[in-house]
Amino acid sequence: MRAEEFRASVRAWLEANAPAPDEFPEPRTAEYVRFSQEFLGRVHRAGYSGISWPIAYGGRGLGLPEEKAFWAEAAKFTLPLGLFGIGLGMCGPTILQLGTQQQRERYIAPMLRGEEIWCQMFSEPAAGSDVASLRMRAERDGDHFVLTGQKVWTTGAHYCDFGILLARTDRDVAKHRGLTMFIADMSAPGVVVRPLRDMTGAEHFNEVFFDEVRIPVEAVVGEIDGGWAAAHALLVHERLAVSAGLGMEGESQGPLSYAGIVSRAREAGLLDDPLVVDELVNLHLRSRAAEVVDAKLAQEMDCGIDPGSRGSIGKLLKARLQSDAADLVVRLFGAAGLDVEVERAVLGSRQLSIGGGTNEIQLSIIGERVLGLPREPRIDLNTPFHELRS
């Protein structure tokens, strides 16, 4: 099937099957989770979940262009798919890349069908952008590891079934070398999830405590003590997913989208002002530039070329675009002119500039690993972790 035919089939299916917004239960309630899972199940049965994933694990076996075509069309609708962005965009691709055959067979198909929801647990109170500073311990006990520690800012942990996390398995080596990636059952004894309320009023992310949680050795993703390489792989998938807008509901028509802002400006009679038009043209050009970068990275991935650190470019462009779009909305319409939906979008617009690595971290990655600029001096790269000061 040619790309344009595939995209037309996606559009026709969504037009016939996308639920109306007034059908949605209250966001992030148990009813909303079930509603979302049922809809992703329908998407999978139609052949549009895991489009580029292997047929053997429940995917369709097509390419990334078809995958992108689905999400580009999906972004024109408000769909209950936001709960699955981390699983489908980060955890699933990492398991496909680094997981064992047993892990792929166990986890991928239920993920694609929406039966199990996933989160990602890297950040800790003492390890935000510097992930390698994390302190969660994973101590070997026979055929299990025992995990003790805390994670924080974990999106969706309160409704997730499984999560991918990093823990420290060796304190006697440098901080990047003693980490291991695990799959964690969020219902295991000793796992405690406490939601955190953000300034939009939503309980979007959480702190998660692990109190001597036993995880089987079979839950290791990649190599024991090879978690830094596994983390890098996941973060590449994360930044590509963010730049592609995977799982972001109604993104191309939302309050901070180019189309959404133009529509609102037209209703307010602002399109006769050349300064406003100039602002909108600039927003449109930046939106298209971000789309082009994302398309290039996706084409490379489809050809087997690892974009590596260049994935940070797409993520940075998208984060800056969202923040600047929020600023433009406030400047054009004023705080008094914002309805509840727009106000929530404006308040939440800074999340992308923090989650997945701050904008400043992305700039450092691009400078050092893409442009080849000199690295900042570091004194902790070869020091055993247990000798580092708290």
PDB file of all heavy atoms in Angstrom, residues 360-374:
ATOM      1  N   GLU A 360      18.199  22.964  28.732  1.00  0.00           N
ATOM      2  CA  GLU A 360      19.625  23.228  28.896  1.00  0.00           C
ATOM      3  C   GLU A 360      20.457  21.959  28.699  1.00  0.00           C
ATOM      4  O   GLU A 360      21.541  21.995  28.093  1.00  0.00           O
ATOM      5  CB  GLU A 360      19.873  23.803  30.293  1.00  0.00           C
ATOM      6  CG  GLU A 360      19.314  25.207  30.505  1.00  0.00           C
ATOM      7  CD  GLU A 360      17.809  25.228  30.689  1.00  0.00           C
ATOM      8  OE1 GLU A 360      17.226  24.157  30.965  1.00  0.00           O
ATOM      9  OE2 GLU A 360      17.208  26.310  30.558  1.00  0.00           O
ATOM     10  N   ILE A 361      19.932  20.831  29.189  1.00  0.00           N
ATOM     11  CA  ILE A 361      20.622  19.557  28.986  1.00  0.00           C
ATOM     12  C   ILE A 361      20.643  19.192  27.507  1.00  0.00           C
ATOM     13  O   ILE A 361      21.656  18.714  26.971  1.00  0.00           O
ATOM     14  CB  ILE A 361      19.944  18.452  29.808  1.00  0.00           C
ATOM     15  CG1 ILE A 361      20.203  18.672  31.296  1.00  0.00           C
ATOM     16  CG2 ILE A 361      20.427  17.068  29.388  1.00  0.00           C
ATOM     17  CD1 ILE A 361      21.659  18.535  31.705  1.00  0.00           C
ATOM     18  N   GLN A 362      19.523  19.430  26.817  1.00  0.00           N
ATOM     19  CA  GLN A 362      19.487  19.132  25.375  1.00  0.00           C
ATOM     20  C   GLN A 362      20.530  19.970  24.625  1.00  0.00           C
ATOM     21  O   GLN A 362      21.200  19.472  23.707  1.00  0.00           O
ATOM     22  CB  GLN A 362      18.094  19.404  24.796  1.00  0.00           C
ATOM     23  CG  GLN A 362      16.951  18.698  25.493  1.00  0.00           C
ATOM     24  CD  GLN A 362      17.142  17.205  25.606  1.00  0.00           C
ATOM     25  OE1 GLN A 362      17.669  16.552  24.710  1.00  0.00           O
ATOM     26  NE2 GLN A 362      16.732  16.639  26.731  1.00  0.00           N
ATOM     27  N   LEU A 363      20.676  21.234  25.014  1.00  0.00           N
ATOM     28  CA  LEU A 363      21.676  22.090  24.365  1.00  0.00           C
ATOM     29  C   LEU A 363      23.088  21.558  24.605  1.00  0.00           C
ATOM     30  O   LEU A 363      23.931  21.573  23.701  1.00  0.00           O
ATOM     31  CB  LEU A 363      21.558  23.519  24.896  1.00  0.00           C
ATOM     32  CG  LEU A 363      20.347  24.316  24.395  1.00  0.00           C
ATOM     33  CD1 LEU A 363      20.192  25.608  25.185  1.00  0.00           C
ATOM     34  CD2 LEU A 363      20.498  24.627  22.903  1.00  0.00           C
ATOM     35  N   SER A 364      23.346  21.094  25.833  1.00  0.00           N
ATOM     36  CA  SER A 364      24.666  20.526  26.117  1.00  0.00           C
ATOM     37  C   SER A 364      24.919  19.272  25.279  1.00  0.00           C
ATOM     38  O   SER A 364      26.015  19.073  24.743  1.00  0.00           O
ATOM     39  CB  SER A 364      24.794  20.194  27.610  1.00  0.00           C
ATOM     40  OG  SER A 364      24.783  21.368  28.390  1.00  0.00           O
ATOM     41  N   ILE A 365      23.900  18.413  25.176  1.00  0.00           N
ATOM     42  CA  ILE A 365      24.042  17.194  24.376  1.00  0.00           C
ATOM     43  C   ILE A 365      24.321  17.532  22.923  1.00  0.00           C
ATOM     44  O   ILE A 365      25.218  16.967  22.286  1.00  0.00           O
ATOM     45  CB  ILE A 365      22.767  16.335  24.495  1.00  0.00           C
ATOM     46  CG1 ILE A 365      22.641  15.762  25.907  1.00  0.00           C
ATOM     47  CG2 ILE A 365      22.769  15.216  23.461  1.00  0.00           C
ATOM     48  CD1 ILE A 365      21.314  15.072  26.168  1.00  0.00           C
ATOM     49  N   ILE A 366      23.560  18.479  22.381  1.00  0.00           N
ATOM     50  CA  ILE A 366      23.747  18.869  20.977  1.00  0.00           C
ATOM     51  C   ILE A 366      25.135  19.468  20.771  1.00  0.00           C
ATOM     52  O   ILE A 366      25.838  19.153  19.799  1.00  0.00           O
ATOM     53  CB  ILE A 366      22.648  19.871  20.560  1.00  0.00           C
ATOM     54  CG1 ILE A 366      21.273  19.179  20.577  1.00  0.00           C
ATOM     55  CG2 ILE A 366      22.941  20.435  19.174  1.00  0.00           C
ATOM     56  CD1 ILE A 366      20.111  20.143  20.489  1.00  0.00           C
ATOM     57  N   GLY A 367      25.534  20.342  21.702  1.00  0.00           N
ATOM     58  CA  GLY A 367      26.839  20.983  21.566  1.00  0.00           C
ATOM     59  C   GLY A 367      27.983  19.988  21.625  1.00  0.00           C
ATOM     60  O   GLY A 367      28.891  20.008  20.780  1.00  0.00           O
ATOM     61  N   GLU A 368      27.940  19.089  22.605  1.00  0.00           N
ATOM     62  CA  GLU A 368      29.066  18.182  22.827  1.00  0.00           C
ATOM     63  C   GLU A 368      29.049  16.988  21.880  1.00  0.00           C
ATOM     64  O   GLU A 368      30.092  16.602  21.334  1.00  0.00           O
ATOM     65  CB  GLU A 368      29.051  17.687  24.275  1.00  0.00           C
ATOM     66  CG  GLU A 368      29.299  18.796  25.293  1.00  0.00           C
ATOM     67  CD  GLU A 368      29.163  18.317  26.731  1.00  0.00           C
ATOM     68  OE1 GLU A 368      28.860  17.112  26.926  1.00  0.00           O
ATOM     69  OE2 GLU A 368      29.362  19.126  27.658  1.00  0.00           O
ATOM     70  N   ARG A 369      27.877  16.388  21.669  1.00  0.00           N
ATOM     71  CA  ARG A 369      27.820  15.106  20.955  1.00  0.00           C
ATOM     72  C   ARG A 369      27.441  15.225  19.489  1.00  0.00           C
ATOM     73  O   ARG A 369      27.690  14.313  18.713  1.00  0.00           O
ATOM     74  CB  ARG A 369      26.823  14.178  21.656  1.00  0.00           C
ATOM     75  CG  ARG A 369      27.172  13.937  23.114  1.00  0.00           C
ATOM     76  CD  ARG A 369      26.154  13.055  23.785  1.00  0.00           C
ATOM     77  NE  ARG A 369      26.329  13.034  25.237  1.00  0.00           N
ATOM     78  CZ  ARG A 369      25.505  12.434  26.078  1.00  0.00           C
ATOM     79  NH1 ARG A 369      24.438  11.802  25.620  1.00  0.00           N
ATOM     80  NH2 ARG A 369      25.742  12.468  27.384  1.00  0.00           N
ATOM     81  N   VAL A 370      26.820  16.342  19.114  1.00  0.00           N
ATOM     82  CA  VAL A 370      26.462  16.547  17.706  1.00  0.00           C
ATOM     83  C   VAL A 370      27.450  17.498  17.030  1.00  0.00           C
ATOM     84  O   VAL A 370      27.970  17.209  15.955  1.00  0.00           O
ATOM     85  CB  VAL A 370      25.019  17.082  17.575  1.00  0.00           C
ATOM     86  CG1 VAL A 370      24.662  17.317  16.102  1.00  0.00           C
ATOM     87  CG2 VAL A 370      24.021  16.103  18.197  1.00  0.00           C
ATOM     88  N   LEU A 371      27.717  18.638  17.681  1.00  0.00           N
ATOM     89  CA  LEU A 371      28.613  19.635  17.095  1.00  0.00           C
ATOM     90  C   LEU A 371      30.073  19.406  17.441  1.00  0.00           C
ATOM     91  O   LEU A 371      30.956  20.020  16.845  1.00  0.00           O
ATOM     92  CB  LEU A 371      28.186  21.036  17.548  1.00  0.00           C
ATOM     93  CG  LEU A 371      26.758  21.450  17.176  1.00  0.00           C
ATOM     94  CD1 LEU A 371      26.449  22.837  17.719  1.00  0.00           C
ATOM     95  CD2 LEU A 371      26.553  21.391  15.671  1.00  0.00           C
ATOM     96  N   GLY A 372      30.343  18.542  18.429  1.00  0.00           N
ATOM     97  CA  GLY A 372      31.722  18.248  18.788  1.00  0.00           C
ATOM     98  C   GLY A 372      32.414  19.333  19.570  1.00  0.00           C
ATOM     99  O   GLY A 372      33.655  19.428  19.557  1.00  0.00           O
ATOM    100  N   LEU A 373      31.663  20.171  20.269  1.00  0.00           N
ATOM    101  CA  LEU A 373      32.265  21.214  21.087  1.00  0.00           C
ATOM    102  C   LEU A 373      32.931  20.602  22.317  1.00  0.00           C
ATOM    103  O   LEU A 373      32.574  19.498  22.746  1.00  0.00           O
ATOM    104  CB  LEU A 373      31.201  22.228  21.518  1.00  0.00           C
ATOM    105  CG  LEU A 373      30.473  22.963  20.384  1.00  0.00           C
ATOM    106  CD1 LEU A 373      29.418  23.894  20.966  1.00  0.00           C
ATOM    107  CD2 LEU A 373      31.463  23.739  19.530  1.00  0.00           C
ATOM    108  N   PRO A 374      33.896  21.276  22.918  1.00  0.00           N
ATOM    109  CA  PRO A 374      34.573  20.716  24.099  1.00  0.00           C
ATOM    110  C   PRO A 374      33.595  20.456  25.231  1.00  0.00           C
ATOM    111  O   PRO A 374      32.685  21.255  25.478  1.00  0.00           O
ATOM    112  CB  PRO A 374      35.584  21.810  24.478  1.00  0.00           C
ATOM    113  CG  PRO A 374      35.783  22.598  23.237  1.00  0.00           C
ATOM    114  CD  PRO A 374      34.475  22.582  22.510  1.00  0.00           C
TER     115      PRO A 374
END
